[in-house]
DNA sequence: CTGCATCCTAGTCGATACTG
DNA sequence: CAGTATCGACTAGGATGCAG
Protein backbone atom coordinates (compact mmCIF):
# COMPACT_ATOMS: atom_id res chain seq x y z
CA UNK A 1 0.00 0.00 0.00
CA UNK A 2 3.00 2.27 0.40
CA UNK A 3 6.68 2.42 -0.40
CA UNK A 4 8.14 -1.04 -0.34
CA UNK A 5 11.72 -2.18 -0.75
CA UNK A 6 13.08 -2.07 -4.25
CA UNK A 7 11.91 -5.05 -6.26
CA UNK A 8 13.43 -6.21 -9.50
CA UNK A 9 11.72 -5.19 -12.70
CA UNK A 10 9.80 -7.85 -14.56
CA UNK A 11 11.89 -10.37 -16.43
CA UNK A 12 9.76 -12.67 -18.63
CA UNK A 13 12.46 -15.33 -18.38
CA UNK A 14 12.53 -15.49 -14.61
CA UNK A 15 9.58 -17.32 -13.10
CA UNK A 16 7.58 -15.45 -10.48
CA UNK A 17 8.19 -16.53 -6.90
CA UNK A 18 6.28 -14.70 -4.26
CA UNK A 19 8.57 -15.99 -1.50
CA UNK A 20 11.45 -14.11 -3.09
CA UNK A 21 11.79 -10.69 -1.48
CA UNK A 22 12.85 -9.12 -4.77
CA UNK A 23 10.20 -10.70 -6.96
CA UNK A 24 7.83 -8.10 -8.45
CA UNK A 25 4.87 -10.18 -7.34
CA UNK A 26 5.64 -9.06 -3.80
CA UNK A 27 4.53 -5.53 -4.66
CA UNK A 28 1.19 -6.86 -5.82
CA UNK A 29 0.75 -9.06 -2.78
CA UNK A 30 1.36 -6.09 -0.51
CA UNK A 31 -1.56 -4.29 -2.13
CA UNK A 32 -3.85 -7.29 -1.77
CA UNK A 33 -2.87 -8.34 1.75
CA UNK A 34 -4.97 -5.65 3.35
CA UNK A 35 -8.17 -5.77 5.34
CA UNK A 36 -9.94 -3.00 3.47
CA UNK A 37 -8.90 -4.33 0.09
CA UNK A 38 -10.31 -7.76 0.82
CA UNK A 39 -13.55 -6.28 2.12
CA UNK A 40 -13.89 -3.93 -0.82
CA UNK A 41 -13.39 -6.75 -3.29
CA UNK A 42 -16.04 -8.70 -1.42
CA UNK A 43 -18.51 -5.83 -1.40
CA UNK A 44 -18.06 -4.93 -5.05
CA UNK A 45 -18.25 -8.57 -6.01
CA UNK A 46 -21.62 -8.88 -4.27
CA UNK A 47 -23.13 -5.60 -5.35
CA UNK A 48 -21.76 -5.26 -8.86
CA UNK A 49 -21.56 -1.48 -8.77
CA UNK A 50 -21.68 1.03 -5.94
CA UNK A 51 -21.20 4.71 -5.42
CA UNK A 52 -18.76 6.24 -2.96
CA UNK A 53 -21.21 6.72 -0.11
CA UNK A 54 -22.72 3.30 -0.58
CA UNK A 55 -19.29 1.75 -0.30
CA UNK A 56 -18.63 3.64 2.89
CA UNK A 57 -21.81 2.30 4.40
CA UNK A 58 -21.09 -1.16 3.04
CA UNK A 59 -17.58 -1.46 4.46
CA UNK A 60 -18.49 -1.06 8.09
CA UNK A 61 -16.17 1.24 9.98
CA UNK A 62 -14.06 2.54 7.10
CA UNK A 63 -13.08 6.21 7.17
CA UNK A 64 -13.31 8.38 4.07
CA UNK A 65 -9.56 8.58 3.98
CA UNK A 66 -9.08 4.82 3.86
CA UNK A 67 -11.98 4.47 1.46
CA UNK A 68 -10.45 6.90 -1.03
CA UNK A 69 -6.99 5.51 -0.54
CA UNK A 70 -8.05 1.92 -1.02
CA UNK A 71 -10.14 2.78 -4.06
CA UNK A 72 -7.22 4.64 -5.59
CA UNK A 73 -4.87 1.71 -5.02
CA UNK A 74 -7.27 -0.72 -6.63
CA UNK A 75 -8.02 1.62 -9.48
CA UNK A 76 -4.31 2.04 -10.16
CA UNK A 77 -3.79 -1.70 -10.07
CA UNK A 78 -6.50 -2.10 -12.66
CA UNK A 79 -8.89 -3.96 -10.38
CA UNK A 80 -11.52 -1.26 -9.99
CA UNK A 81 -13.12 0.99 -12.57
CA UNK A 82 -14.22 4.47 -11.58
CA UNK A 83 -16.91 6.23 -13.57
CA UNK A 84 -18.01 9.83 -13.10
CA UNK A 85 -21.22 11.27 -14.45
CA UNK A 86 -20.11 14.85 -14.92
CA UNK A 87 -23.56 16.05 -15.86
CA UNK A 88 -24.80 15.34 -12.38
CA UNK A 89 -24.73 17.76 -9.49
CA UNK A 90 -24.11 16.64 -6.84
CA UNK A 91 -21.58 14.39 -8.55
CA UNK A 92 -22.39 10.75 -9.17
CA UNK A 93 -19.36 8.48 -8.99
CA UNK A 94 -19.65 4.76 -9.54
CA UNK A 95 -17.18 2.03 -8.70
CA UNK A 96 -17.16 -1.49 -10.06
CA UNK A 97 -14.72 -4.33 -10.54
CA UNK A 98 -12.86 -4.67 -13.81
CA UNK A 99 -12.49 -8.07 -15.41
CA UNK A 100 -9.13 -8.41 -13.63
CA UNK A 101 -10.78 -7.32 -10.40
CA UNK A 102 -13.50 -9.93 -10.75
CA UNK A 103 -10.78 -12.54 -11.14
CA UNK A 104 -9.05 -11.72 -7.88
CA UNK A 105 -12.34 -11.07 -6.07
CA UNK A 106 -13.27 -14.61 -6.96
CA UNK A 107 -10.01 -15.95 -5.53
CA UNK A 108 -10.36 -14.03 -2.29
CA UNK A 109 -13.95 -15.09 -1.78
CA UNK A 110 -12.84 -18.38 -0.24
CA UNK A 111 -10.70 -16.49 2.25
CA UNK A 112 -13.64 -14.46 3.54
CA UNK A 113 -15.99 -17.40 3.55
CA UNK A 114 -13.51 -19.54 5.47
CA UNK A 115 -13.00 -16.73 7.96
CA UNK A 116 -16.70 -16.37 8.69
CA UNK A 117 -17.08 -20.12 9.01
CA UNK A 118 -14.07 -20.69 11.26
CA UNK A 119 -14.16 -17.60 13.45
CA UNK A 120 -15.56 -19.49 16.43
CA UNK A 121 -12.82 -22.11 16.15
CA UNK A 122 -10.12 -19.47 16.02
CA UNK A 123 -11.62 -17.73 19.04
CA UNK A 124 -11.49 -20.99 20.97
CA UNK A 125 -7.87 -21.51 19.98
CA UNK A 126 -7.00 -18.02 21.17
CA UNK A 127 -8.73 -18.58 24.48
CA UNK A 128 -6.89 -21.87 24.97
CA UNK A 129 -3.56 -20.26 24.12
CA UNK A 130 -4.16 -17.38 26.53
CA UNK A 131 -5.24 -19.74 29.30
CA UNK A 132 -2.00 -21.68 29.21
CA UNK B 1 -2.36 -8.19 14.08
CA UNK B 2 -2.78 -5.93 17.06
CA UNK B 3 -5.47 -4.19 19.06
CA UNK B 4 -8.54 -3.73 16.95
CA UNK B 5 -11.77 -1.96 17.69
CA UNK B 6 -14.08 -3.73 20.09
CA UNK B 7 -15.99 -6.47 18.34
CA UNK B 8 -19.05 -8.20 19.66
CA UNK B 9 -18.59 -11.56 21.31
CA UNK B 10 -19.73 -14.60 19.39
CA UNK B 11 -23.47 -15.14 19.22
CA UNK B 12 -24.38 -18.49 17.64
CA UNK B 13 -27.73 -17.05 16.60
CA UNK B 14 -26.34 -14.13 14.66
CA UNK B 15 -24.87 -15.08 11.28
CA UNK B 16 -21.29 -14.00 10.63
CA UNK B 17 -20.89 -11.04 8.31
CA UNK B 18 -17.38 -9.91 7.64
CA UNK B 19 -18.56 -6.56 6.25
CA UNK B 20 -19.99 -5.71 9.66
CA UNK B 21 -17.43 -3.73 11.66
CA UNK B 22 -18.53 -5.37 14.90
CA UNK B 23 -18.64 -8.95 13.64
CA UNK B 24 -16.07 -11.16 15.39
CA UNK B 25 -14.91 -12.47 12.03
CA UNK B 26 -13.27 -9.10 11.48
CA UNK B 27 -10.71 -9.90 14.15
CA UNK B 28 -9.77 -13.07 12.32
CA UNK B 29 -9.58 -11.34 8.96
CA UNK B 30 -7.22 -8.76 10.41
CA UNK B 31 -4.82 -11.53 11.36
CA UNK B 32 -5.00 -13.14 7.94
CA UNK B 33 -4.85 -9.99 5.82
CA UNK B 34 -1.11 -9.65 6.24
CA UNK B 35 1.76 -10.12 3.84
CA UNK B 36 3.89 -12.25 6.16
CA UNK B 37 0.97 -14.40 7.22
CA UNK B 38 0.08 -15.25 3.64
CA UNK B 39 3.69 -16.02 2.80
CA UNK B 40 4.16 -18.13 5.90
CA UNK B 41 1.05 -20.15 5.15
CA UNK B 42 2.37 -20.67 1.64
CA UNK B 43 5.80 -21.74 2.81
CA UNK B 44 4.56 -24.13 5.48
CA UNK B 45 2.02 -25.54 3.06
CA UNK B 46 4.78 -26.34 0.58
CA UNK B 47 7.39 -27.61 3.01
CA UNK B 48 5.22 -29.41 5.53
CA UNK B 49 7.46 -28.65 8.48
CA UNK B 50 10.29 -26.17 8.99
CA UNK B 51 12.48 -24.92 11.75
CA UNK B 52 12.81 -21.28 12.75
CA UNK B 53 15.92 -20.52 10.72
CA UNK B 54 14.60 -22.33 7.68
CA UNK B 55 11.49 -20.22 7.78
CA UNK B 56 13.54 -17.07 7.96
CA UNK B 57 15.44 -18.09 4.87
CA UNK B 58 12.26 -19.21 3.17
CA UNK B 59 10.34 -15.97 3.71
CA UNK B 60 12.70 -13.69 1.87
CA UNK B 61 13.34 -10.44 3.68
CA UNK B 62 11.57 -11.16 6.95
CA UNK B 63 13.20 -9.95 10.16
CA UNK B 64 13.45 -12.16 13.21
CA UNK B 65 11.05 -9.88 14.99
CA UNK B 66 8.35 -10.23 12.37
CA UNK B 67 9.06 -13.92 12.06
CA UNK B 68 8.53 -14.52 15.78
CA UNK B 69 5.56 -12.22 15.92
CA UNK B 70 3.83 -13.78 12.94
CA UNK B 71 4.50 -17.29 14.20
CA UNK B 72 3.06 -16.36 17.60
CA UNK B 73 -0.07 -14.91 16.04
CA UNK B 74 -0.67 -18.00 13.95
CA UNK B 75 0.10 -20.30 16.83
CA UNK B 76 -2.38 -18.45 19.01
CA UNK B 77 -5.02 -18.63 16.30
CA UNK B 78 -4.53 -22.38 16.15
CA UNK B 79 -3.15 -22.38 12.62
CA UNK B 80 0.44 -23.30 13.40
CA UNK B 81 1.83 -25.95 15.72
CA UNK B 82 5.14 -25.34 17.48
CA UNK B 83 7.17 -28.28 18.68
CA UNK B 84 10.33 -28.05 20.77
CA UNK B 85 12.78 -30.88 21.20
CA UNK B 86 14.10 -30.01 24.64
CA UNK B 87 16.73 -32.73 24.58
CA UNK B 88 18.58 -30.96 21.80
CA UNK B 89 21.27 -28.36 22.27
CA UNK B 90 21.26 -26.14 20.37
CA UNK B 91 17.47 -26.17 20.55
CA UNK B 92 15.44 -27.67 17.74
CA UNK B 93 12.11 -25.98 17.17
CA UNK B 94 9.76 -27.10 14.44
CA UNK B 95 6.77 -25.33 12.96
CA UNK B 96 4.01 -26.90 10.94
CA UNK B 97 0.42 -26.19 9.99
CA UNK B 98 -2.38 -27.61 12.09
CA UNK B 99 -5.40 -29.11 10.40
CA UNK B 100 -7.10 -25.72 10.67
CA UNK B 101 -3.99 -24.10 9.25
CA UNK B 102 -3.96 -26.45 6.29
CA UNK B 103 -7.54 -25.46 5.59
CA UNK B 104 -6.83 -21.75 5.35
CA UNK B 105 -3.50 -22.30 3.61
CA UNK B 106 -5.44 -24.10 0.92
CA UNK B 107 -7.84 -21.18 0.56
CA UNK B 108 -5.07 -18.62 0.32
CA UNK B 109 -3.12 -20.62 -2.24
CA UNK B 110 -5.27 -19.24 -5.06
CA UNK B 111 -4.48 -15.71 -3.93
CA UNK B 112 -0.72 -16.23 -4.22
CA UNK B 113 -1.00 -18.13 -7.48
CA UNK B 114 -3.16 -15.45 -9.02
CA UNK B 115 -0.73 -12.78 -7.85
CA UNK B 116 2.24 -14.46 -9.46
CA UNK B 117 0.30 -15.03 -12.67
CA UNK B 118 -1.12 -11.52 -12.96
CA UNK B 119 1.77 -9.41 -11.67
CA UNK B 120 2.75 -8.28 -15.15
CA UNK B 121 -0.81 -7.19 -15.90
CA UNK B 122 -1.03 -5.21 -12.68
CA UNK B 123 2.29 -3.56 -13.44
CA UNK B 124 0.98 -2.47 -16.83
CA UNK B 125 -2.16 -1.09 -15.24
CA UNK B 126 -0.09 0.91 -12.79
CA UNK B 127 2.09 2.29 -15.55
CA UNK B 128 -0.99 3.30 -17.55
CA UNK B 129 -2.54 4.96 -14.50
CA UNK B 130 0.63 6.89 -13.71
CA UNK B 131 1.01 8.02 -17.31
CA UNK B 132 -2.36 9.67 -17.38
C1' DC C 1 -21.91 14.03 -2.76
C1' DT C 2 -17.17 13.07 -3.48
C1' DG C 3 -13.25 13.85 -2.42
C1' DC C 4 -8.22 15.89 -1.14
C1' DA C 5 -4.99 18.29 2.33
C1' DT C 6 -3.51 18.41 7.16
C1' DC C 7 -2.57 17.23 11.55
C1' DC C 8 -1.66 14.05 15.09
C1' DT C 9 -1.34 9.80 17.68
C1' DA C 10 -0.76 5.01 18.20
C1' DG C 11 1.17 1.40 16.42
C1' DT C 12 4.36 -1.00 13.14
C1' DC C 13 8.70 -2.66 11.99
C1' DG C 14 13.78 -2.98 11.37
C1' DA C 15 18.26 -2.86 13.72
C1' DT C 16 20.79 -4.04 17.42
C1' DA C 17 22.10 -6.20 21.55
C1' DC C 18 21.50 -9.72 24.78
C1' DT C 19 19.91 -14.64 26.81
C1' DG C 20 19.19 -19.75 27.47
C1' DC D 1 19.92 -22.15 17.35
C1' DA D 2 15.91 -19.76 18.75
C1' DG D 3 14.39 -16.47 20.52
C1' DT D 4 13.35 -11.77 23.67
C1' DA D 5 14.01 -6.63 24.82
C1' DT D 6 14.59 -2.16 23.65
C1' DC D 7 15.08 1.93 20.84
C1' DG D 8 13.99 4.89 17.29
C1' DA D 9 12.34 5.95 12.54
C1' DC D 10 8.67 5.59 10.02
C1' DT D 11 3.86 4.81 8.75
C1' DA D 12 -1.02 3.86 9.08
C1' DG D 13 -5.05 5.65 9.80
C1' DG D 14 -8.77 8.50 12.29
C1' DA D 15 -10.45 13.31 12.72
C1' DT D 16 -11.19 17.52 10.88
C1' DG D 17 -11.70 21.19 7.64
C1' DC D 18 -12.20 22.78 3.11
C1' DA D 19 -13.40 22.50 -2.09
C1' DG D 20 -15.48 21.29 -6.58
Amino acid sequence: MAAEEQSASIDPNRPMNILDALCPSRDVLVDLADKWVLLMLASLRESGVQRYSELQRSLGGISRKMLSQTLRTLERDGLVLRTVDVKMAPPLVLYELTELGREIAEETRALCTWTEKRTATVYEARAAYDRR
Side-chain angles (χ1 to χ4, degrees), chain A residues 52-67:
Chain A
Y52 187 81
S53 47
E54 288 175 325
L55 272 170
Q56 180 163 30
R57 247 170 290 119
S58 174
L59 307 198
I62 197 171
S63 65
R64 273 177 305 168
K65 175 177 176 177
M66 289 314 295
L67 182 60

Side-chain angles (χ1 to χ4, degrees), chain A residues 49-96:
Chain A
V49 53
Q50 272 176 291
R51 51 196 302 183
Y52 187 81
S53 47
E54 288 175 325
L55 272 170
Q56 180 163 30
R57 247 170 290 119
S58 174
L59 307 198
I62 197 171
S63 65
R64 273 177 305 168
K65 175 177 176 177
M66 289 314 295
L67 182 60
S68 297
Q69 196 170 299
T70 305
L71 282 167
R72 229 47 72 219
T73 299
L74 295 186
E75 190 190 356
R76 186 170 104 100
D77 285 354
L79 306 180
V80 159
L81 179 66
R82 177 177 182 269
T83 315
V84 191
D85 188 339
V86 286
K87 294 182 296 301
M88 302 291 284
L92 173 59
V93 182
L94 293 177
Y95 292 96
E96 62 191 310

